[in-house]
Amino acid sequence: MALHAAQNVGDAIDATREFLFPFELRRWLKLAVVALFIGGGLNAPSGQFGGSGSTPDPNGGGELPATLPADFVTILAVVAAVAVAFALVFGIIGAIMEFVFVESIRTDEVRLRRYWSDRWRQGLRLFGFRVLIGLPVLALFLGWVALFFAPLLMSVQLPEISAGVFLLGLPVLLVVGVVVGAVYSFTTLFVVPLMIQNDSGVLAGWRRLWPSIKREWKQYGAFALIGAVLTFVVGLIASMAVGIAAIVLLIPFAIVGVLVYLALSFSSAGTALIAVLAVIFAVVMLVVWALVQVPIVAYLRYYALLVLGDIEAEFDIIPDQREAIRD
């Protein structure tokens, strides 16, 4: 049995080249905006813990404050609210941009406003689905962290309890993470095209995909394995490219910064100009990163679409591109 995941590694390169070249700056910049939101993620759960009560001063000089200052708590709450709001906005835009990018590949035309207008409702459904499968994992992780630190918070000097919680919880988290990661990836790579094809929701897309997964589980399993390797390889290449660009660009920025600082005699104005240069450098690097992501994201999306169409012909949303690269 031929594995479509292995056969389409080269075809995806040809499809990506046909899609991105000849080079058009405006087209690449539009795609870079999309890749900026779908080329990465904001999944970074964190946990905080603390204790209350008073602690006697060994020198008898009074007690430590039992509560945090009100200003500190307010600032912390504001920062947390801003971070959550940013993550939500970024996640919503990223979900909608998934449809924008696939539509661009399907039609070979990059029209951000048009595809956004056509697909934003489906993007919201995708975002909601991602939240639904992500929150249980986050809750499980936070519960694991809480159980790990619980003995310390209760002043129980039994390190074997924390070690036991860590060792028992780690494989559970790994298994759950792999399963949820597979659902997340298959939803993005396979269900989104089916949603576009039938103008449907996430669950309707999964109802179409699931019988195919059960019937052709070897093909989808091979895709998962080979796709993971390809993602790692192209990600490594992208990181190297961005790193080289950062070194090349940092040299002129550093020279200009030193000259400005020396010319202004170490004044506050010189410090302010250096800060401005640092911000400009960060923006330039963000643009470079987004441009580097364009061929990476395009290749991985084409690869998934080619595999999907080979497994199930009725799922093919890029028949013209498939025929062109194979002819």
Side-chain angles (χ1 to χ4, degrees):
M1 179 185 66
L3 293 177
H4 301 305
Q7 294 176 329
N8 283 294
V9 173
D11 287 348
I13 296 176
D14 297 334
T16 303
R17 183 171 57 246
E18 292 294 326
F19 178 63
L20 297 178
F21 297 98
F23 179 82
E24 295 180 14
L25 179 60
R26 184 178 179 183
R27 182 184 179 95
W28 272 67
L29 289 176
K30 288 182 178 180
L31 291 171
V33 172
V34 181
L36 181 65
F37 290 95
I38 68 176
L42 292 177
N43 300 320
S46 61
Q48 296 180 349
F49 63 94
S52 61
S54 59
T55 304
D57 190 337
N59 297 321
E63 296 181 344
L64 295 176
T67 59
L68 294 174
D71 292 343
F72 178 81
V73 175
T74 302
I75 293 173
L76 189 63
V78 170
V79 170
V82 171
V84 171
F86 177 80
L88 289 175
V89 171
F90 196 97
I92 292 172
I93 296 175
I96 299 173
M97 286 299 186
E98 296 284 1
F99 292 89
V100 173
F101 200 88
V102 174
E103 280 281 30
S104 300
I105 287 177
R106 184 174 72 93
T107 62
D108 199 23
E109 296 181 1
V110 184
R111 300 179 181 274
L112 303 188
R113 286 182 294 180
R114 175 183 172 183
Y115 299 150
W116 179 286
S117 177
D118 293 342
R119 301 296 177 182
W120 67 269
R121 295 176 181 83
Q122 290 176 302
L124 291 179
R125 294 176 184 175
L126 176 63
F127 174 74
F129 181 81
R130 287 176 170 178
V131 171
L132 286 177
I133 65 173
L135 284 180
V137 179
L138 178 59
L140 181 63
F141 173 80
L142 294 178
W144 178 60
V145 172
L147 289 175
F148 179 78
F149 286 108
L152 300 177
L153 296 178
M154 293 185 296
S155 300
V156 178
Q157 302 300 323
L158 294 175
E160 59 271 13
I161 296 180
S162 295
V165 170
F166 177 82
L167 294 176
L168 291 176
L170 187 58
V172 175
L173 281 174
L174 289 176
V175 172
V176 173
V178 169
V179 173
V180 173
V183 173
Y184 184 98
S185 298
F186 274 42
T187 302
T188 300
L189 298 175
F190 294 147
V191 173
V192 166
L194 297 182
M195 293 172 65
I196 291 176
Q197 188 182 53
N198 280 12
D199 196 21
S200 63
V202 181
L203 296 182
W206 263 108
R207 280 194 291 268
R208 291 190 65 202
L209 180 65
W210 184 244
S212 178
I213 293 177
K214 291 192 295 184
R215 184 172 56 253
E216 300 288 349
W217 62 271
K218 292 181 180 179
Q219 295 286 359
Y220 288 100
F223 168 83
L225 294 176
I226 297 176
V229 174
L230 289 175
T231 301
F232 174 78
V233 171
V234 298
L236 182 61
I237 294 173
S239 298
M240 293 174 61
V242 173
I244 293 173
I247 294 173
V248 172
L249 292 172
L250 183 60
I251 295 174
F253 272 92
I255 293 174
V256 172
V258 170
L259 293 177
V260 167
Y261 197 69
L262 293 176
L264 295 177
S265 302
F266 307 98
S267 64
S268 57
T271 303
L273 286 177
I274 290 178
V276 171
L277 286 174
V279 172
I280 295 175
F281 176 77
V283 172
V284 171
M285 287 308 305
L286 182 64
V287 173
V288 170
W289 180 88
L291 289 172
V292 170
Q293 289 297 313
V294 169
I296 301 299
V297 176
Y299 173 77
L300 294 176
R301 290 299 189 278
Y302 264 119
Y303 176 65
L305 292 176
L306 289 171
V307 172
L308 180 64
D310 281 342
I311 296 176
E312 299 286 350
E314 64 176 306
F315 293 168
D316 190 10
I317 68 169
I318 53 170
D320 296 336
Q321 295 92 323
R322 183 188 306 274
E323 182 179 357
I325 60 175
R326 292 178 177 173
D327 288 345

